[in-house]
Amino acid sequence: MNLMDWHRRIERHTGLLVFGIIAVTSVGGLVQIVPSLFQTSLSTPVAGLEPYPPLALEGRDIYIRESCSVCHSQQVRPLLAEVMRYGATSKAGEFVYDRPFLWGSKRTGPDLHRIGGKYSDAWHRLHFMDPRAVVPSSIMPAYRWLAERDADTGGSIQNRMRALQLLGHPYTDRDIYFAPQRLAGKSELDALIAYLQMLGVSRPEGG
Amino acid sequence: MAAIKWPAAPTTYEDDVVLAFTIAAVLWSLIGMAAGVYAAAELVWPALNLDFAPLTFGRLRTVHTNAVLFGFAVSALMGTSFYTVQRTCHIRIFAPNLAWTVFFAWQLIVIAGAVSLFMGANAGKEYAELEWPIDIAITVVWVIYGVVFFGTIAIRRIEQIYISNWFFGAFILVVAMLHIVNSLAIPVSAFKSYSLYAGAQDAIVQWWYGHNAVGFLLTGGFLGMMYYFLPKQSERPIWSYRLSVLSFWAFAYSYIWAGPHHLHFSAIPEWVQTLAMVMSLILLAPSWATMINGIMTVSTARQKLREDPGLKLIVLSLAFYGLAMFEGPMMAIRSVNIISHFTEWTIGHVHSGALGWNALITFGCFYFMVPRLVGQPLWSVRLANIHFWLALAGVMLYVLSMWGAGITQGVLWLSLDELGQVRYGFNEILAALQPYYLLRLLGGSAFFVGAILMSINLFMTISGQRTVTVAPPTTSMRSPAPAAGTP
């Protein structure tokens, strides 16, 4: 029986066709994904990496809500000009508390993985209120409304931290108990800036 | 198969649901493109967000991608797959009520998705932004869609399963697999969840999803469309059956490996990146084999190609398919990716696929299918020809401007001066992109205007006309012969 005869059986049998498609399309995913999920070097935090404190976690969730990652990457590639422009190359161990990861696929604006500590909180505040006041050629939209909204208006910071605790982030019950106090009186803008100021600060040794 | 009882001979095809999907797809294309054009304008005039959160670029861009991908592309695929599967199986669709359930439920999902993204409910994964309640709804509706589609194949009255249905079938099965694995998350509230995967591992899972959503939805699904509508419209049989068999399995096997080429030079294991690059290059062979099969099919239908704007659109879409399927593997090569990654080149590549291939082939199929669904000739062939030229000019302007912008970014970002310092500031380079952004806005707008003309044309074709009913051929071409009593 040659190959085409054999194929004639598949194309006359719904079940065989379904089975064939699933079998053929599973191989790639199984080979590439499964080993990576068990590779501990990808899930071991770099020395000094802490899970996001409540205010920064709130800021990160605002970053996700506003889809900041469609214009800003968080992944410094091991290329000379890139390291000079942004800082040390990104390491897997720096992202183990990132759910989801926010490396992005586009740099309409600059990479933000090493933005932490580069500018003052006051600079960030001014920049979010009116980007072109500090960077004339910027095309980033202003985010004035963030300053008017209280952080954690949903009151779910404790639930969020508990969900992350369940997934293995080392929050203590004490961290979770006091979380609402850390957010008290803060705006969403404060939270977002707290997140940005933490980004890429726990650099790996020699970074 | 022998266990399946032959149903009584169907009286007609269930085409109303196809027409409903077609109208929905046209509406979603207008909504999605309007969002895209507005977002493009915001990159030229950033104040256009009007200090209003839902109109701000991040949220609007996400609504744009969801509306075109899940609203337009999926509605078009569901509609054309129901049209095709009935005609290639010579039978009325399995469980028409379920088909209608899929229609209404899917439209509700896309509406809920757009509203929730405007409100800021976002899971944070590209092209998988919808939150977990919607993800669950998608899974349920997708299973019903699969039951209707494969159910129709199971009760078919033709022995052989036509090649379009393999592609549609692969699209349905693989998208289900990708969606379920990538969306696994721990819910916090109705509008918030955290991915089950973190960091680099999440990245690998996400781009396995992201790239293969492109692969099996925007490529595989639309190839299913191509394999039915191209031979139909050109009145020529598929050029090579063997090539279609070979390229289908090679496509299905190799596409799934290519995802991590989105993660070159990242913190994921290097062997995963390299494997993805190699498999991306291998993918070029089945992709072009399919394109050649399509082009050769119409190569003797020159007269038809001159007269039929729908066929012209489909053939043009195959050219863009070939272009995008060449460009993709090139961009997956690490040394090219250094320049292209993170730049507008990626956006240009996506749109040469999404506008040039997916939208044009869909438009071409609609120009063919809608007159047949309503039993009326197309309202205006001339308007359809104008649409053809507007679409071609629009997509070319879009792709060329993004190539220019992307190569400018890619080269200047990495440029060092004599002292080894970074030569240009990020904002200097950004300022140089403004003309390209303006050209892209023009190109996108021209394409959008073309789509508006098509909507008017199709609306006029449909309006006031009663839909026709088409009966399948009564002789079965499948052995064993249908039970006695079948006419």
Side-chain angles (χ1 to χ4, degrees):
Chain A
M1 201 201 266
N2 75 28
L3 212 59
M4 293 309 276
D5 289 335
W6 180 77
H7 194 267
R8 243 161 233 134
R9 284 184 60 196
I10 296 181
E11 66 197 49
R12 280 163 173 73
H13 196 299
T14 320
L16 275 180
L17 185 64
V18 169
F19 175 78
I21 290 169
I22 292 174
V24 159
T25 54
S26 299
V27 183
L30 288 174
V31 172
Q32 286 176 329
I33 295 177
V34 175
S36 308
L37 292 180
F38 293 98
Q39 188 173 335
T40 47
S41 67
L42 296 179
S43 54
T44 309
V46 292
L49 189 75
E50 302 277 328
Y52 295 100
L55 191 59
L57 179 67
E58 169 74 7
R60 188 171 197 275
D61 287 337
I62 293 165
Y63 188 98
I64 293 169
R65 184 186 77 196
E66 303 301 337
S67 289
C68 301
S69 58
V70 302
C71 287
H72 293 282
S73 56
Q74 289 187 17
Q75 185 213 317
V76 182
R77 297 181 292 173
L79 307 172
L80 184 58
E82 201 142 299
V83 170
M84 292 176 71
R85 192 185 292 281
Y86 299 119
T89 302
S90 304
K91 306 284 186 299
E94 297 179 88
F95 300 102
V96 297
Y97 301 128
D98 281 19
R99 290 176 198 269
F101 80 114
L102 293 172
W103 297 355
S105 59
K106 181 76 202 325
R107 276 182 195 152
T108 306
D111 189 276
L112 297 181
H113 187 216
R114 303 286 178 210
I115 196 72
K118 274 193 187 164
Y119 300 90
S120 67
D121 287 1
W123 184 93
H124 278 298
R125 192 171 305 279
L126 192 58
H127 183 254
F128 276 116
M129 298 303 280
D130 186 1
R132 275 153 296 286
V134 272
V135 183
S137 66
S138 169
I139 54 171
M140 185 169 124
Y143 282 87
R144 295 187 190 99
W145 68 87
L146 294 180
E148 293 153 18
R149 291 167 55 147
D150 292 335
D152 198 33
T153 41
S156 67
I157 188 69
Q158 289 180 321
N159 292 342
R160 279 184 273 153
M161 290 173 76
R162 263 187 224 108
L164 290 172
Q165 195 184 33
L166 194 70
L167 288 163
H169 293 213
Y171 289 119
T172 62
D173 291 341
R174 193 187 142 83
D175 292 336
I176 296 175
Y177 180 81
F178 285 109
Q181 290 184 21
R182 305 273 179 268
L183 266 54
K186 303 285 187 185
S187 70
E188 290 193 340
L189 190 57
D190 297 324
L192 187 52
I193 293 171
Y195 168 63
L196 292 177
Q197 295 292 27
M198 266 197 83
L199 273 179
V201 174
S202 307
R203 285 154 228 191
E205 296 297 318
Chain B
M1 278 304 110
I4 287 173
K5 190 167 165 273
W6 289 104
T11 47
T12 56
Y13 291 138
E14 171 55 59
D15 279 346
D16 289 352
V17 73
V18 176
L19 190 63
F21 271 118
T22 305
I23 293 167
V26 171
L27 290 176
W28 282 118
S29 81
L30 295 181
I31 294 166
M33 284 184 209
V37 167
Y38 199 88
E42 287 183 335
L43 292 183
V44 183
W45 302 288
L48 279 179
N49 78 329
L50 310 175
D51 276 334
F52 182 50
L55 263 190
T56 300
F57 186 87
R59 294 196 196 182
L60 191 61
R61 188 265 196 189
T62 311
V63 169
H64 161 64
T65 53
N66 275 270
V68 293
L69 195 58
F70 300 114
F72 168 65
V74 172
S75 294
L77 285 171
M78 284 174 166
T80 51
S81 67
F82 285 164
Y83 184 89
T84 303
V85 76
Q86 298 185 90
R87 280 157 178 82
T88 54
C89 293
H90 282 194
I91 196 143
R92 186 183 177 83
I93 206 158
F94 173 75
N97 290 342
L98 285 185
W100 277 105
T101 309
V102 172
F103 172 77
F104 287 112
W106 189 258
Q107 302 312 314
L108 280 177
I109 282 170
V110 186
I111 292 167
V115 170
S116 69
L117 290 170
F118 269 133
M119 286 167 47
N122 185 332
K125 289 189 166 195
E126 218 172 341
Y127 316 119
E129 292 92 352
L130 301 177
E131 268 299 352
W132 65 275
I134 302 180
D135 281 343
I136 292 174
I138 290 174
T139 310
V140 172
V141 175
W142 208 259
V143 169
I144 302 174
Y145 175 37
V147 167
V148 174
F149 183 82
F150 287 107
T152 310
I153 292 181
I155 60 167
R156 72 192 181 282
R157 298 169 72 244
I158 289 184
E159 195 172 2
Q160 200 172 1
I161 303 170
Y162 184 63
I163 182 151
S164 279
N165 298 324
W166 315 351
F167 277 101
F168 285 130
F171 149 63
I172 294 168
L173 292 169
V174 176
V175 167
M177 173 167 88
L178 299 169
H179 171 74
I180 292 169
V181 173
N182 187 49
S183 300
L184 293 177
I186 300 280
V188 176
S189 69
F191 303 107
K192 180 71 194 169
S193 64
Y194 287 115
S195 171
L196 201 60
Y197 319 98
Q201 293 165 336
D202 192 36
I204 296 172
V205 175
Q206 155 64 21
W207 283 111
W208 168 77
Y209 164 88
H211 186 74
N212 291 300
V214 174
F216 286 83
L217 200 160
L218 296 177
T219 310
F222 284 80
L223 285 176
M225 230 187 236
M226 188 276 283
Y227 269 119
Y228 180 78
F229 287 92
L230 185 74
K232 264 294 180 201
Q233 214 156 344
S234 60
E235 294 167 344
R236 299 287 186 281
I238 281 290
W239 182 61
S240 166
Y241 165 76
R242 274 167 185 258
L243 196 58
S244 67
V245 169
L246 217 72
S247 56
F248 172 77
W249 292 109
F251 153 86
Y253 177 77
S254 49
Y255 218 124
I256 208 92
W257 295 78
H261 70 213
H262 291 254
L263 298 166
H264 278 328
F265 300 104
S266 76
I268 69 161
E270 198 164 324
W271 68 268
V272 178
Q273 302 175 24
T274 307
L275 198 53
M277 173 174 87
V278 172
M279 293 308 280
S280 304
L281 286 165
I282 290 174
L283 186 56
L284 184 57
S287 308
W288 272 36
T290 309
M291 174 189 69
I292 289 165
N293 213 355
I295 298 282
M296 293 308 286
T297 301
V298 285
S299 63
T300 56
R302 298 235 174 93
Q303 187 59 33
K304 201 106 176 70
L305 195 52
R306 263 195 288 274
E307 291 163 359
D308 184 343
L311 186 59
K312 272 197 278 193
L313 280 165
I314 294 183
V315 172
L316 181 63
S317 80
L318 265 180
F320 273 101
Y321 167 77
L323 171 77
M325 286 310 245
F326 174 75
E327 191 183 23
M330 293 306 112
M331 293 167 79
I333 299 173
R334 262 214 199 94
S335 45
V336 178
N337 195 268
I338 287 183
I339 301 293
S340 75
H341 196 44
F342 291 134
T343 71
E344 301 292 347
W345 188 351
T346 308
I347 311 301
H349 170 63
V350 170
H351 284 83
S352 72
L355 299 178
W357 157 239
N358 301 123
L360 292 189
I361 193 171
T362 306
F363 297 162
C365 294
F366 285 180
Y367 280 128
F368 173 87
M369 195 169 73
V370 170
R372 279 162 182 77
L373 290 174
V374 297
Q376 287 293 322
L378 188 65
W379 183 64
S380 167
V381 172
R382 203 180 148 175
L383 202 59
N385 276 317
I386 295 172
H387 177 202
F388 173 86
W389 289 109
L390 267 176
L392 176 57
V395 66
M396 284 312 294
L397 199 54
Y398 194 114
V399 171
L400 290 172
S401 62
M402 290 296 97
W403 274 338
I407 290 167
T408 304
Q409 287 173 310
V411 172
L412 297 191
W413 282 345
L414 299 179
S415 168
L416 299 176
D417 64 17
E418 308 77 45
L419 301 173
Q421 301 292 316
V422 173
R423 190 186 293 268
Y424 303 102
F426 189 91
N427 293 304
E428 285 177 85
I429 302 169
L430 179 64
L433 302 179
Q434 279 302 304
Y436 295 116
Y437 284 152
L438 193 60
L439 283 178
R440 183 258 300 273
L441 176 60
L442 282 176
S445 302
F447 198 89
F448 180 48
V449 170
I452 293 173
L453 296 185
M454 176 192 71
S455 313
I456 296 169
N457 207 348
L458 294 181
F459 177 78
M460 294 306 287
T461 308
I462 296 169
S463 69
Q465 312 300 339
R466 300 230 343 258
T467 53
V468 293
T469 48
V470 183
T474 47
T475 48
S476 173
M477 302 204 299
R478 179 169 168 168
S479 56
T486 309

